[in-house]
Amino acid sequence: MSDYYTQNPAARWLALASICIATFLVPLSMSAINIALPAIADELQADAVLLSWVPTSNLLGSMMLMLPAARVADIIGRKKVYIVGVLMFCVTSLMVIWIETIEWLLVSRFLQGLASAMVFGTGMAIVTSVFANGKRGTALGLTATSVYLGLTCGPMIGGWLTEVLGWRSVFWAPVPFALISVLLVVMNVKGEYKAEGKQKLDWVGSGLFALWISAFFFGLSGLPDPSYFICLLAGVALFFLFLRQQGSAEYPLVRLKVLANNKVFSRSMISSVFMYGAHYPVLFLMSLYLQYLKGMSPSESGQLILLQALVMACLAPFAGRLSDQFEPRIIATTGCLIYGSGFAMLLWIDASSSQAYIAAALLALGMGFGLFSTPNNNAAMGSVPPDRLSIGSALMNLSRTMGNMFSMTLVVLLVNLVMGEAEITPEQYPDLLRVIKVAFALALAYTLVAAYASYSRGNVRSA
């Protein structure tokens, strides 16, 4: 269908807008939940560990289904899988109306993660296909902007909804708009996008993939308990079994040799893992810091956190245009270093830190991530053959989700070790601040690794 969009350039932008609505709503829901966490803990009487699983369970579901969903999209069509994912997001969001326990909330968040895997595992691939003949960087930049606008509006809208309508409204309020996005995709995304030739889903590989992710991250979150350690070892063993199975499968989820030989894509994935690993816990940790240690309301803390995502949203399309003209690795690596400077500032926060200082650190984070994400995605997706765009999109989103999951699992582990299974009270504020500072120190280290991986991928334009 690329010829259709070549002959009707305006239609490409309508298709992009249709996709961007859902890629705005899903991260909006994810970021808004973080602001509602204290209210959720109060109503459902959740301890610190279970509360930290509210964002983590969503990531787990997303990771488990990301690659299988992309392969199904390559087989039956990316548009079909995308639409099913948005509809599933709507259904799982409405589940919260009947939820009365933290455990059932975690189940609904897990199911939302499965839905988001279908949305993010196909959305970037559809955009890349629609803009195959030009302006791909700009389109991917606008797609990234929709994500960051979701993150931008999430804390502010989540804080307002939590105060006015209660935390449950954070889940159900986006549903009508998500249904509108489905209608627009049906109307504006013409045809169906799937791989040519014979394709099959690797059921064994999909099962092994889901098992090793579940076992590894669940085991890591509960250390040093011996039973969790056994679960962690099982996850490591399943990971190597998955790699071996993928090497011999006729239709693997991931062609490991091809991935290893594509230096641009593999290094882009590595830098994405570590940058998103640094990024995801920020909303969770800053929400707790601002509301518990600084005594701010949900809406006040949401407005302050808004600064980071707002700068990201403004810079992402600009960085995308730059990456269409100049070497992406220079822009992305610069973003990594600026991002790290923000975490270096956050290492010094305490209960008496001024809002101006916190705002400056968040602005540095927003600038750094805004410069990194789109050039990194543009370089990666530009190195993928057209018939593997769904799996390429899924791998980049998997790298994002894996970084998110790994860092959040370490945060859960820190909370478990330092604070234990108790509700957050003023007596525990010093321990909470200790967890926050250690997590930010780890994030700073992640950004330095990401900067090296980004710079070492080599020049894309001379290839």
Side-chain angles (χ1 to χ4, degrees), residues 67 74 102 106 114 209 224 231 266 290 328 357 377 397 412 448:
L67 288 183
D74 279 334
I102 186 65
L106 295 181
L114 298 179
F209 183 76
C231 189
S266 59
L290 293 174
Y357 183 84
N377 287 338
N397 281 286
V412 173
L448 296 178

Side-chain angles (χ1 to χ4, degrees), residues 1-9 11-12 15 188-190 193:
M1 296 298 298
S2 59
D3 290 341
Y4 170 80
Y5 290 109
T6 301
Q7 297 168 10
N8 302 274
R12 293 194 302 181
N188 295 317
V189 179
K190 302 298 182 181
Y193 299 94

Side-chain angles (χ1 to χ4, degrees), residues 18 55 66 72 120 123 150 167 169 193 207 211 234 244 250 256 266 271 279 320 365 368 374 413-414 429:
S18 304
M66 189 72 72
V72 171
F120 286 118
W167 64 265
S169 63
Y193 299 94
L211 285 173
R244 183 176 180 181
E250 184 179 2
L256 298 173
S266 59
S271 58
H279 171 72
L365 293 180
T374 307
L413 176 60
L414 286 171
Y429 286 0

